[in-house]
Amino acid sequence: QSVLTQPPSASGTPGQRVTISCSGSSSNIGSNTVNWYQQLPGTAPKLLIYSNNQRPSGVPDRFSGSKSGTSASLAISGLQSEDEADYYCAAWDDSLHVVFGGGTKLTVL
Amino acid sequence: QVQLVQSGAEVKKPGASVKVSCKASGYTFTSYDINWVRQATGQGLEWMGWMNPNSGNTGYAQKFQGRVTMTRNTSISTAYMELSSLRSEDTAVYYCARGRVVVGTGFNWYFDLWGRGTLVTVSS
């Protein structure tokens, strides 16, 4: 049982906009910032969004993040086949550890 | 280039220990924390703890307290994660990841560089 809650799956067609939600509590998302990781099949995770809405160099602006209260969202616009991956949200929890969501498997139909 | 290179796959018997290495290159090893994250097959990510390569200070997730030890050798820019008293549930891919900490409006702890992972299989 993960501390942060994500839907197990999401899907969309090429060109569509999809969002993935991440729900936490006052001790993690509610008081600290949220990060998102993308894990392509058979590879290591990669930082996608940090500090709620910042993109590392090289990440397309099709990816965006937001946070409100104890929840966060990742949005992917102009969906592409190469976006098919697992997506994880994460945050620092005030009980002194990093917590992850259970991951959302994104399928591009 | 900037990378973290991990040691190869391991097979261990229940009760044994495993030590995984993570060699940093392309940046100053002592300037960033190293974190360890594991992932069982088909499962999500689980944070195990962090180590400051400069001071050697560590912080472990409560679940692994007493079983995990994170160390480093700064002369070869390498971090190590040793997990003892292995059981079948420890079978997973273990990743090292460079940590970034930002203190501002809230606390941000994220991982901007990952190793490729080391598969540890625990089986009798």
Side-chain angles (χ1 to χ4, degrees):
Chain A
Q1 193 81 0
S2 300
V3 174
L4 305 181
T5 301
Q6 298 180 236
S9 63
S11 63
T13 56
Q16 200 172 20
R17 182 178 188 271
V18 298
T19 61
I20 297 171
S21 63
C22 174
S23 177
S25 69
S26 58
S27 65
N28 40 67
I29 294 178
S31 53
N32 300 302
T33 56
V34 178
N35 311 297
W36 291 89
Y37 300 92
Q38 177 193 57
Q39 187 174 33
L40 296 170
T43 69
K46 167 193 161 186
L47 180 65
L48 192 65
I49 297 286
Y50 67 99
S51 298
N52 299 330
N53 54 20
Q54 302 300 300
R55 285 185 308 278
S57 173
V59 173
D61 59 7
R62 302 186 295 105
F63 295 90
S64 62
S66 63
K67 181 188 119 170
S68 178
T70 58
S71 294
S73 290
L74 172 70
I76 308 172
S77 60
L79 195 63
Q80 299 180 5
S81 58
E82 56 260 39
D83 298 334
E84 192 160 284
D86 294 326
Y87 292 85
Y88 294 90
C89 59
W92 178 259
D93 191 286
D94 291 340
S95 57
L96 302 182
H97 63 283
V98 174
V99 291
F100 285 97
T104 298
K105 184 177 184 61
L106 175 64
T107 301
V108 180
L109 303 170
Chain B
Q1 69 273 35
V2 179
Q3 62 181 349
L4 296 172
V5 178
Q6 297 187 225
S7 49
E10 303 261 13
V11 179
K12 296 292 182 181
K13 293 196 183 303
S17 297
V18 68
K19 191 170 186 177
V20 179
S21 69
C22 171
K23 182 174 176 59
S25 61
Y27 73 94
T28 302
F29 176 61
T30 51
S31 294
Y32 303 90
D33 293 345
I34 292 289
N35 290 253
W36 291 88
V37 176
R38 76 177 187 180
Q39 183 174 38
T41 303
Q43 303 300 308
L45 302 171
E46 181 175 34
W47 182 75
M48 300 179 68
W50 62 273
M51 181 201 62
N52 182 306
N54 186 45
S55 64
N57 289 345
T58 57
Y60 303 139
Q62 189 169 10
K63 175 177 179 176
F64 300 101
Q65 289 271 4
R67 274 210 308 145
V68 71
T69 304
M70 297 177 188
T71 58
R72 87 290 191 210
N73 183 335
T74 55
S75 67
I76 55 172
S77 300
T78 300
Y80 303 93
M81 186 284 299
E82 184 169 21
L83 189 62
S84 62
S85 302
L86 290 169
R87 33 207 188 233
S88 58
E89 310 90 87
D90 294 318
T91 294
V93 174
Y94 289 75
Y95 295 101
C96 61
R98 188 174 73 175
R100 304 296 292 270
V101 178
V102 179
V103 180
T105 307
F107 196 70
N108 196 9
W109 187 297
Y110 63 96
F111 314 124
D112 68 344
L113 179 68
W114 293 68
R116 289 191 174 186
T118 296
L119 175 62
V120 175
T121 302
V122 182
S123 173
S124 53

